[in-house]
Amino acid sequence: MIYEALGSAVLGLILAWAGAHRLGHRLPARPLVYSTGVAGALFGDFVTRTALGPGTALLSLLGAAVISVASLSLLLRPAGGLRRRSAPA
């Protein structure tokens, strides 16, 4: 169980690094990205392990990856920046 949690944290860190490397211009500060990736992976592992039970390490890692990517996607900013248009008077 400890190795599964450690593996999930490392997986979340790798996914956060890949996202920060590829989409660095659209993400906030890197420490926030890394901590969100790790926390999302640990939460995903917890939810998957709770739902499926023990003995499903590969499925738990898959659930950790899915939740980690989903939580990282919530940090993305729009590509074109914010365009504010004034309402017609």
Side-chain angles (χ1 to χ4, degrees):
M1 186 167 147
I2 296 294
Y3 291 122
E4 187 176 336
L6 184 62
S8 294
V10 169
L11 179 65
L13 191 62
I14 290 170
L15 289 172
W17 175 82
H21 182 69
R22 183 165 171 91
L23 299 168
H25 61 285
R26 293 182 57 195
L27 288 169
R30 287 187 188 242
L32 178 65
V33 173
Y34 292 145
S35 61
T36 301
V38 171
L42 289 173
F43 182 69
D45 182 40
F46 171 72
V47 168
T48 308
R49 185 174 173 85
T50 301
L52 299 178
T56 56
L58 291 178
L59 289 176
S60 293
L61 288 176
L62 179 66
V66 168
I67 299 297
S68 178
V69 169
S71 61
L72 286 170
S73 73
L74 294 174
L75 295 176
L76 285 175
R77 293 185 214 134
L82 296 176
R83 293 188 180 121
R84 297 181 187 222
R85 296 181 185 161
S86 60

